[in-house]
Amino acid sequence: YQRGIYPPETFKRVSKYGLAILVTEDDFLKSYLEQVLKQLEKWLMEGTVQKLVLVITGCDTKEVLERWVFNVEADKAITTAGDPSATANKSQKEIMSEIQAIIRQITASVTFLPLLQEPCTFDLLVHTDHEAAVPQTWEESDPRVISNATDVKLRSFTTKIHKVDTCVSYRTCEDEV
């Protein structure tokens, strides 16, 4: 929604994480996201996710215009033991507050990101440890980096098991000259 990849009328407002969030009503997109998030949750609980990358690509030029990176560090002592009682001491309220802050920062990023000048699509890339079992329906991808990108580090947040550092890289308008 924030970057205008899908029409605004395909979203509805819901309350999530104590914030008003816009979520898709597009059945195809919901199905895709459910599939990815189900596998991502499994890998997160196993502690095998290294990073999640959302890539925004121009439909006409096929160029990567934005790259949102969520670096994930898992507490291996907890994920390998499979013992949730061994978690770090952090309240749900603290975790919720950190998640709210990153969502607000992502929402506010439209103020400094360049306008997307062409229709765009997105893809989700999940970087895992080598030993992670990858479903056969998933495919390998190159990292889809942006050369000479402008990088903006966003807030980090931590749960009782994971630490997530966030950054957005984007192609600047000067790249087109």
Side-chain angles (χ1 to χ4, degrees), residues 3-177:
R3 301 305 287 139
I5 295 173
Y6 288 87
E9 61 272 10
T10 63
F11 292 85
K12 67 178 178 181
R13 188 175 304 270
V14 299
S15 181
K16 198 99 165 155
Y17 307 110
L19 298 171
I21 305 283
L22 292 161
V23 297
T24 186
E25 290 188 305
D26 181 277
D27 289 334
F28 180 77
L29 181 56
K30 284 193 317 192
S31 174
Y32 169 73
L33 292 173
E34 285 169 8
Q35 173 195 357
V36 171
L37 293 175
K38 182 179 176 185
Q39 183 62 52
L40 181 61
E41 180 181 23
K42 181 176 187 264
W43 283 331
L44 283 168
M45 296 313 291
E46 294 170 352
T48 57
V49 175
Q50 296 173 352
K51 70 175 73 172
L52 173 67
V53 181
L54 179 128
V55 179
I56 297 178
T57 307
C59 292
D60 300 332
T61 62
K62 307 292 185 228
E63 290 185 63
V64 176
L65 304 174
E66 290 178 15
R67 192 170 186 274
W68 294 79
V69 178
F70 301 85
N71 287 307
V72 180
E73 290 178 40
D75 184 336
K76 295 287 188 180
I78 296 169
T79 57
T80 55
D83 180 10
S85 65
T87 60
N89 192 12
K90 188 167 202 173
S91 73
Q92 283 295 116
K93 185 176 179 178
E94 288 175 292
I95 294 169
M96 182 78 75
S97 178
E98 290 179 4
I99 291 173
Q100 287 172 341
I102 189 67
I103 290 172
R104 284 186 181 107
Q105 193 174 28
I106 289 169
T107 302
S109 69
V110 297
T111 61
F112 64 81
L113 290 171
L115 288 175
L116 298 173
Q117 299 294 328
E118 64 179 295
C120 293
T121 187
F122 79 95
D123 201 3
L124 292 170
L125 312 177
V126 183
H127 298 249
T128 62
D129 295 344
H130 291 292
E131 66 271 4
V134 179
Q136 289 195 357
T137 55
W138 288 48
E139 54 189 53
E140 294 272 336
S141 173
D142 65 75
R144 314 275 299 275
V145 296
I146 302 171
S147 59
N148 301 317
T150 299
D151 298 326
V152 177
K153 185 167 174 27
L154 303 176
R155 291 181 184 260
S156 298
F157 70 92
T158 57
T159 67
K160 296 177 182 182
I161 303 171
H162 300 94
K163 178 178 188 237
V164 181
D165 292 315
T166 313
C167 176
V168 61
S169 302
Y170 60 93
R171 182 178 305 282
T172 57
C173 296
E174 296 85 51
D175 291 343
E176 298 172 0
V177 179

